[in-house]
Amino acid sequence: DRATGAWRAEMGYHHYEVIGRRKPKEIKVDLELELKGELKKEEPEEPKIYRMKIFAPNTVVARSRYWYFLSKLKKIKRANGEIIVINEIFEKQPNQIKNFGMWLRYDSRSGTHNMYKEFRDTHLTGAVEKMYAELASRHRCRKSSIQIIKTCVVDDKSVTDRLKPYIGTKNTPTEFALLHRIARPSSKSNKTVYKAKRPCTFF
């Protein structure tokens, strides 16, 4: 069971914060002018820093997606840029159920589409996995063509009609169907290992 849990954790998505910039230009020094004292000191360039939050299975994919999006937004590519740091973001309240709203953009066979969807999960990464699965099934959309623009936590009162049946209140609690009900013996004396008839768990 532990091995299975570790395998699922490795295969699942992680939330990374990638920070990078363009490489500063090299300052070339003329030794003759420096010895004569005629060299003008140039101040080192401080390139602009770009931060991006990316969902990826590991840091290797996170770096690749970072350079892909940055090359689309700015004229910076992997050859003339450098990554400063990669931090993994963890859920602050992993045991609390939350409603996550996502603004998406994806490319289909007919064009580019914008979309807003809501998912209910304890982790943002779990909601992202549900989003990828739904877009793949409903819209035949690949992961590589999906761009997550923004995510947020939505209050229970502000959710769309899609999630309202899954959110209960004090007056109308959420009801779940009992798919399999195992009949228990009334006492230990009636408990037996073998039964004459196969028990029916559907009612």
Side-chain angles (χ1 to χ4, degrees), residues 93-171:
Q93 296 174 332
N95 297 325
Q96 183 180 351
I97 301 172
K98 296 173 280 294
N99 309 309
F100 294 101
M102 296 184 190
W103 283 263
L104 314 168
R105 181 182 292 121
Y106 73 95
D107 299 322
S108 69
R109 286 169 287 186
S110 57
T112 306
H113 312 279
N114 296 320
M115 185 180 289
Y116 172 76
K117 280 190 174 291
E118 289 179 355
F119 298 92
R120 194 164 166 83
D121 205 289
T122 55
H123 292 71
L124 180 58
T125 52
V128 168
E129 288 183 20
K130 289 180 181 178
M131 180 270 298
Y132 279 130
E134 182 171 331
L135 285 178
S137 60
R138 289 179 183 270
H139 303 279
R140 298 292 185 269
C141 189
R142 296 178 180 178
K143 293 179 184 178
S144 58
S145 62
I146 301 170
Q147 299 178 24
I148 301 172
I149 300 168
K150 187 173 70 172
T151 61
C152 70
V153 179
V154 185
D155 189 24
D156 289 347
K157 296 178 182 178
S158 305
V159 296
T160 55
D161 295 335
R162 175 187 173 184
L163 289 184
K164 281 183 180 178
Y166 304 103
I167 302 171
T169 59
K170 291 183 179 179
N171 300 327

Side-chain angles (χ1 to χ4, degrees), residues 35-112:
L35 293 170
K36 292 178 182 178
E38 298 176 0
L39 183 67
K40 294 180 180 179
K41 291 185 178 180
E42 296 182 13
E43 293 184 0
E45 184 188 5
E46 294 184 1
K48 197 173 182 180
I49 294 172
Y50 300 96
R51 184 185 63 144
M52 203 175 293
K53 292 182 180 178
I54 294 172
F55 298 94
N58 51 53
T59 55
V60 177
V61 179
R63 285 168 178 265
S64 176
R65 299 302 290 170
Y66 175 80
W67 291 122
Y68 172 78
F69 289 122
L70 196 62
S71 63
K72 298 282 184 185
L73 298 169
K74 306 289 180 181
K75 290 184 177 180
I76 302 172
K77 56 184 180 180
R78 191 180 305 187
N80 57 13
E82 60 182 2
I83 289 176
I84 299 170
V85 68
I86 298 178
N87 299 321
E88 186 172 356
I89 301 171
F90 297 95
E91 197 72 33
K92 290 182 179 179
Q93 296 174 332
N95 297 325
Q96 183 180 351
I97 301 172
K98 296 173 280 294
N99 309 309
F100 294 101
M102 296 184 190
W103 283 263
L104 314 168
R105 181 182 292 121
Y106 73 95
D107 299 322
S108 69
R109 286 169 287 186
S110 57
T112 306

